[in-house]
Amino acid sequence: MGWVLGACGQTPTSADGAPAEHAERRFEFERVLMGVPFRIVAYGADAEAVARAARAAFARVKELNLVFSDYDPDSELRRLVAEAPSQPKKISADLARVLLLSRRLWEQSGGAFDPSVGPMVKLWRNARRSGELPTPELLAAARARRGFDDLILDAATETVAFRRPDLAIDLGAIAKGYAADEALAVLRAQGFPRALVDGGGDLSLGEPPPSEPGWRVAVEALDDPERAAAELVLANAAVATSGDAWQYVEIDGVRYAHIIDPETGLGLGERFSVTVIAPTGALADGLATALCVLGPARGPALVALHPGVEAWITTPQGTTHCTGKVPGSFPVP
Ligand code: ADP
Ligand code: MG
C-alpha cells in the first residue's frame, strides 16, 4: 500500500559493462496472505534456490496467519479468546512475543495502542458495511470491554490467563509487521540476506541490493509538501505506514478510519498519516498505529523511548518529525 520501490533492479553488470556471469539477479514474488499482497524481492544467483526460499518465507507467513488471524475462527488467537482461560494456558512462542511487545506499547502509549479494542473494531467493520455508526449503547458496551491489563501474560513460561471472559484481543495493528520480519528471517536463514518483504505496506528490509547503499523506498509527502514523495534509503531496518488513506468509512460527511481511539471507541476522524522507521517490522507496525492515535502532540514522547526509531506524523496542520533517543546520549547543558 502506497510504497514505491525505486530503481534497484537493474541487471548486474561487470566492470566493463557486460552482464556478469554469476552475478546475483533480482527476483520478485507475490502472494496474497493475511488479506494483503505480500511481496518478496530477493537477490540471488540461483533462480531455483531463491524461489525455494521465497516459498518457505510465504509458508512462514501462512503459519503466522493461523496464529494471529482475526478472520479465521480456528486461529490460535481466536480460539484463545473464545476459551478465555482463567488459569495460565500455554501459547505459541510467536503469540507470546507479539503479546509481550503489545503490552510494552500499551504501557508506553498510555493505552492509545490497545489490542483489547477488538469489540470496537467489530463495530467499525459493521459501520463500514452498513454506513451507520453504532448506537451509543453498543459503543458503551464495547468500550466497557476494553482493558489490556486484564490479560495476564507470563512471557517466561509463555502462558496467558484472562481476568475476564469477555476480553477480546485483536493484533491486527502489529501482526503484519511481525510476519514481514519472520519472512525476512527465513530468507536470511536460507542464504538470501539481500531481500525485502512487503507485507501490504509494512516493509522489512535486509541487506541492500548489490552495489547499492540501501533499498530505495519512496513514501508519500513526509515533511516536504513541495514534493509528492520523499525517498528513504534503508537496509536492515523496517518501515511501516498507517493512516486513513485506504481504510475509512464516511458517515454524515465525517471520515472514520479503521484505527480506533480507545477513549471514544470510534475510528479516528482526523486526516492523518504516519510513517515509522524502526529496527523491526513488528515495532514499526505497532508504533505507527499508536502514533495515529497519539498524534503530533503526544506521539514524540513515545518515539523518544525507542532508540533507532524515526517517525513522521502528518496531519492537515503539517508534519512532525521525531526520533528515539540514541542510547548513551544525554542532553548537552
Ligand atoms: P493497516 O492494517 O492498514 O496496516 P494498522 O497497522 O494501523 O493498519 O492496523 C489497523 C488495525 O489495528 C485495525 O484494523 C484493528 O484491527 C487494529 N486497531 C485499531 N485501533 C487500534 C488501537 N488503538 N490499538 C491497537 N490496535 C488497533
Ligand atoms: Mg500498525
Side-chain angles (χ1 to χ4, degrees):
M1 264 185 245
W3 297 113
V4 189
L5 292 174
C8 47
Q10 294 92 350
T11 304
T13 52
S14 62
D16 62 4
E21 256 182 45
H22 299 290
E24 293 191 320
R25 282 183 295 141
R26 180 186 206 264
F27 296 94
E28 243 189 277
F29 309 88
E30 190 174 309
R31 210 177 280 183
V32 175
L33 292 162
M34 294 186 150
V36 295
F38 256 79
R39 200 153 64 91
I40 289 173
V41 181
Y43 285 83
D46 177 350
E48 256 309 300
V50 180
R52 238 188 342 263
R55 276 198 299 275
F58 285 139
R60 176 77 176 121
V61 177
K62 227 173 149 181
E63 177 181 284
L64 290 172
N65 192 51
L66 289 175
V67 174
F68 297 112
S69 177
D70 195 44
Y71 295 90
D72 180 352
D74 286 330
S75 73
E76 182 185 3
L77 183 59
R78 281 280 299 267
R79 280 190 285 120
L80 181 72
V81 168
E83 183 186 342
S86 59
Q87 295 304 312
K89 185 187 163 99
K90 185 88 181 150
I91 54 172
S92 66
D94 291 312
L95 189 51
R97 284 169 76 187
V98 172
L99 284 173
L100 183 65
L101 176 57
S102 296
R103 189 171 70 182
R104 263 178 60 211
L105 290 175
W106 177 78
E107 285 167 358
Q108 294 174 340
S109 69
F113 180 90
D114 186 347
S116 76
V117 294
M120 302 183 221
V121 173
K122 290 209 169 52
L123 290 183
W124 183 88
R125 286 192 199 136
N126 290 342
R128 186 160 72 163
R129 238 173 276 130
S130 68
E132 281 172 34
L133 284 183
T135 62
E137 292 76 29
L138 282 175
L139 209 52
R143 266 171 48 202
R145 290 170 64 187
R146 184 189 57 163
F148 195 45
D149 49 344
D150 285 333
L151 183 83
I152 307 156
L153 168 69
D154 187 333
T157 58
E158 293 174 345
T159 59
V160 291
F162 283 49
R163 272 205 193 96
R164 284 183 286 123
D166 68 343
L167 180 65
I169 306 287
D170 176 330
L171 293 171
I174 193 165
K176 274 193 271 118
Y178 180 74
D181 288 340
E182 289 298 302
L184 185 66
V186 169
L187 292 162
R188 278 189 204 274
Q190 301 224 357
F192 301 100
R194 298 185 183 283
L196 163 161
V197 179
D198 177 355
D202 293 309
L203 300 185
S204 288
L205 313 165
E207 298 290 332
S211 327
E212 294 271 344
W215 297 90
R216 296 168 198 279
V217 179
V219 293
E220 282 163 37
L222 290 177
D223 45 359
D224 185 353
E226 294 298 300
R227 286 194 297 165
E231 189 180 69
L232 306 170
V233 180
L234 295 166
N236 298 309
V239 192
T241 184
S242 266
D244 67 351
W246 294 277
Q247 297 246 45
Y248 68 92
V249 56
E250 193 166 321
I251 298 169
D252 296 335
V254 179
R255 282 165 75 112
Y256 297 96
H258 71 320
I259 295 170
I260 308 281
D261 181 345
E263 288 298 319
T264 63
L266 285 172
L268 296 179
E270 205 187 355
R271 292 201 63 133
F272 57 88
S273 127
V274 169
T275 296
V276 179
I277 302 174
T280 70
L283 182 60
D285 192 6
L287 279 176
T289 305
L291 293 176
C292 284
V293 179
L294 290 171
R298 294 183 294 154
L302 172 61
V303 173
L305 300 173
H306 291 274
V309 167
E310 191 167 0
W312 292 264
I313 307 169
T314 301
T315 68
Q317 285 74 47
T319 295
T320 301
H321 175 231
C322 46
T323 55
K325 300 263 187 298
V326 178
S329 75
F330 49 88
V332 178

